[in-house]
Amino acid sequence: MADEEETRHKQAIESEQGSDDEARNQGDVEATEVTADATSEFAEAADAPNGDEAENVEADAGACGAAASRADGDAMENAEASADVSEPAEAGAAAQAEHDESDASEQAGDADHGENDPGVPTLIDRARAYAQAGGEQVAGGVAAVRELAEARRAHQAARFELEALERQAGELTQELGHRREVEANFDAILALQQRELAEAAKQIEQAEARCHDLEAKRSAKEDELAALRKRNEKALEPYKKLADDSRTSLSRAQASAAEARRALKVAQAQANEAQASRDSKLQAAQRAAVSAQNKLAKLQDQLAEARRNPSAGARGVTSKSGEVAAALAALERARGEVTRTDQETQQALQIAQTHLYTQRKSLEEAEADLEAAGSIDQARRDEHERLSKRASDEEDEVSEAILALNGELEEANVELEDASGRSQAAASALEEAREIHAHPELTEQLAERESDARARLDEQRALTERLAAEEDAVRERTQHTRMVVYALAGAAVVIVLLVVLFAVVG
């Protein structure tokens, strides 16, 4: 009987372990998802604006820890039939680390006696208790974070209110002191500001008179400058016309000289051509004369030979004599052609050389006229420039006088503005002093308001100091609990990173 009961117990344990493995795997998946969501919220809270940054980070850290605790609790509820001691220890490890050793030994004893003693708590009961204790500790940590945030918020609001009251009380104190000072020195202020008004009025009168005088002088100088420019323009007009005329004459002389150079170049070419034509024609006529002379000499030699030769006969001599006579006539004609060609070409050459000489003289005259026109133009331009510079210097002198008057007028206007400002300031001070002196009840009301503001300031200062002390007390009292929440948040982040890393590696 005992053997059968032991066998059934072993089978039940094996069945519970199988169910425990499946539930633990499902619980791990759910815990990972919840922890990932909580970690995302914690990261978003860490990037929150500075206004409530600390509060948001702590609150989201608490939410992260609570989410991790809920995930562990769900995993344990799904593993109700498990006999594994490590599951409940893992669910409450972050909150109950200081009790792990004693809990492990108690769980070992429960494993040995839990079957036979129904009154002893089972492993599942203890796991649930640990999960509940961890959740309570996380909730307490979140509450501690919220409590510190509320204390900090209350202290900050009180400090802002204190600063506003200090500014208000300072302004009231300053205004009250001013009114009392004016009331205490009313007669002196009245005399001083009236004297200031009189002096400012006198200064305004002097400045206005000076401005009017300077404006009149400037207007006179401007009229003088306009008249001087008109007079100078009229005086310079004849010199400008002479300079323009000389420039025109110079241009014409330059054109004449250029034309003379071109004519001389053409005449030189014509003379060269006439000389070349004479040489070629005369040489041709001379060659024809020499040829006729050579032919005549040859025929004369033949005629002499015919006369010496008896066999030639009279007819042969006569024929040769005729040829000699014809050659002699040709020679005479060639010599006449030489003489005629020499005379004709010499005449043409003389005409070309005369024309060349004439063009040289024309160029010399044109260049002389050009030099004279250049000298006249330069002299007239120099004279016009000299007179123009003298007129410009006179106009510049008057312009500088106008600029100096403008500077003095600007200074006078500044003095006038200063005097007007002094007069307005004195009038305002008189009006204010008379108003304060005529209404002492307003000063008393202001004193009451200042006293009330000082009383509220003292109360607010005491409240701010008390809230600061309370904030320090809450921070010191909840430090351990908040550190647990921060540790849970960090552990949740690590778990998520490990899960992601395993998923990537796998």
Side-chain angles (χ1 to χ4, degrees):
M1 189 68 177
D3 294 336
E4 293 177 358
E5 185 176 358
E6 183 177 358
T7 301
R8 286 197 302 273
H9 179 65
K10 291 180 178 180
Q11 291 176 354
I13 291 175
E14 292 176 356
S15 177
E16 290 174 355
Q17 289 178 349
S19 300
D20 175 45
D21 292 338
E22 182 178 357
R24 183 167 59 252
N25 293 334
Q26 183 177 358
D28 290 341
V29 173
E30 294 176 354
T32 301
E33 294 176 352
V34 174
T35 304
D37 294 338
T39 304
S40 177
E41 296 176 358
F42 179 78
E44 293 176 356
D47 294 332
N50 292 333
D52 294 328
E53 180 179 358
E55 178 183 350
N56 293 335
V57 171
E58 293 177 354
D60 288 338
C64 183
S69 177
R70 288 197 304 271
D72 291 340
D74 292 339
M76 292 190 184
E77 290 178 0
N78 292 330
E80 291 180 354
S82 174
D84 190 357
V85 179
S86 62
E87 285 296 330
E90 180 181 357
Q96 300 292 335
E98 67 272 13
H99 300 293
D100 283 346
E101 295 182 359
S102 60
D103 289 344
S105 62
E106 291 176 0
Q107 290 171 4
D110 291 341
D112 294 337
H113 302 288
E115 297 177 358
N116 298 327
D117 191 357
V120 178
T122 63
L123 294 175
I124 299 303
D125 293 336
R126 289 188 176 275
R128 287 176 176 173
Y130 286 139
Q132 183 177 2
E136 291 176 354
Q137 188 165 359
V138 170
V142 172
V145 172
R146 290 176 179 173
E147 182 181 2
L148 179 59
E150 291 175 357
R152 183 185 297 110
R153 191 161 46 244
H155 179 211
Q156 186 176 9
R159 189 171 63 251
F160 289 160
E161 181 66 19
L162 177 62
E163 293 175 355
L165 289 175
E166 286 178 346
R167 287 194 299 270
Q168 181 182 3
E171 293 172 357
L172 290 174
T173 301
Q174 184 178 1
E175 184 179 358
L176 179 61
H178 174 66
R179 292 182 71 89
R180 287 176 174 173
E181 183 181 0
V182 170
E183 182 65 28
N185 302 286
F186 175 72
D187 294 335
I189 293 174
L190 191 65
L192 175 63
Q193 297 305 325
Q194 287 177 347
R195 187 169 59 254
E196 182 70 12
L197 270 177
E199 292 178 356
K202 184 177 180 181
Q203 186 177 0
I204 289 174
E205 183 180 359
Q206 293 176 352
E208 288 178 347
R210 186 184 177 195
C211 287
H212 292 320
D213 181 60
L214 291 173
E215 287 176 353
K217 290 181 179 179
R218 183 180 65 179
S219 179
K221 284 294 181 181
E222 289 176 348
D223 294 340
E224 179 184 353
L225 178 61
L228 179 61
R229 286 175 176 172
K230 187 176 181 179
R231 186 170 62 252
N232 289 336
E233 182 179 359
K234 186 176 181 179
L236 289 173
E237 185 175 357
Y239 294 94
K240 183 177 183 301
K241 187 176 184 305
L242 288 175
D244 293 340
D245 292 343
S246 64
R247 191 175 294 110
T248 303
S249 299
L250 178 61
S251 300
R252 285 199 298 265
Q254 290 173 344
S256 299
E259 182 64 25
R261 292 189 187 94
R262 287 193 295 271
L264 177 62
K265 186 176 181 181
V266 172
Q268 183 67 52
Q270 291 175 352
N272 294 336
E273 183 179 358
Q275 181 67 45
S277 176
R278 180 178 186 279
D279 293 341
S280 62
K281 288 180 179 180
L282 187 60
Q283 289 176 2
Q286 288 174 350
R287 282 196 300 272
V290 170
S291 176
Q293 186 175 3
N294 292 334
K295 184 177 180 181
L296 176 61
K298 182 178 179 181
L299 290 174
Q300 285 177 345
D301 291 340
Q302 291 177 358
L303 177 60
E305 181 67 26
R307 285 176 179 175
R308 287 191 301 267
N309 188 2
S311 62
R315 295 183 64 181
V317 172
T318 302
S319 176
K320 290 295 182 181
S321 295
E323 290 179 1
V324 169
L328 181 61
L331 176 60
E332 292 296 332
R333 287 194 301 272
R335 287 176 177 175
E337 183 66 22
V338 170
T339 301
R340 186 186 63 79
T341 300
D342 181 46
Q343 293 175 351
E344 291 179 354
T345 56
Q346 182 64 32
Q347 184 179 3
L349 178 61
Q350 288 178 351
I351 293 172
Q353 289 178 347
T354 301
H355 181 63
L356 176 61
Y357 175 79
T358 303
Q359 294 303 322
R360 282 193 179 124
K361 288 297 183 179
S362 299
L363 178 59
E364 291 176 358
E365 293 176 359
E367 289 180 344
D369 293 341
L370 176 61
E371 183 178 359
S375 299
I376 294 173
D377 178 68
Q378 184 65 39
R380 290 179 178 179
R381 282 193 295 109
D382 292 342
E383 181 67 12
H384 181 262
E385 290 178 359
R386 183 182 66 79
L387 295 175
S388 298
K389 185 177 183 305
R390 186 177 66 182
S392 178
D393 292 340
E394 293 175 354
E395 294 172 3
D396 291 342
E397 184 178 356
V398 179
S399 298
E400 290 176 358
I402 293 175
L403 290 176
L405 289 173
N406 286 333
E408 293 179 7
L409 183 59
E410 184 176 354
E411 293 177 358
N413 286 325
V414 171
E415 293 177 359
L416 180 59
E417 292 177 359
D418 292 342
S420 299
R422 288 176 56 193
S423 178
Q424 293 176 0
S428 299
L430 274 176
E431 182 180 359
E432 182 187 21
R434 286 169 178 165
E435 188 273 337
I436 292 174
H437 181 69
H439 299 284
E441 69 278 4
L442 297 180
T443 304
E444 296 301 327
Q445 294 175 4
L446 183 61
E448 292 177 0
R449 289 171 54 196
E450 193 266 347
S451 178
D452 294 340
R454 289 293 175 184
R456 290 197 304 272
L457 178 61
D458 294 337
E459 293 176 359
Q460 187 65 29
R461 184 177 290 108
L463 176 62
T464 303
E465 293 174 355
R466 180 171 61 81
L467 290 176
E470 291 179 359
E471 180 185 353
D472 294 338
V474 171
R475 181 180 288 105
E476 184 177 358
R477 175 167 51 80
T478 61
Q479 182 177 5
H480 175 72
T481 308
R482 288 184 290 108
M483 291 301 104
V484 172
V485 173
Y486 298 154
L488 286 174
V493 173
V494 172
I495 291 172
V496 172
L497 293 177
L498 289 176
V499 170
V500 174
L501 179 62
F502 290 152
V504 173
V505 175

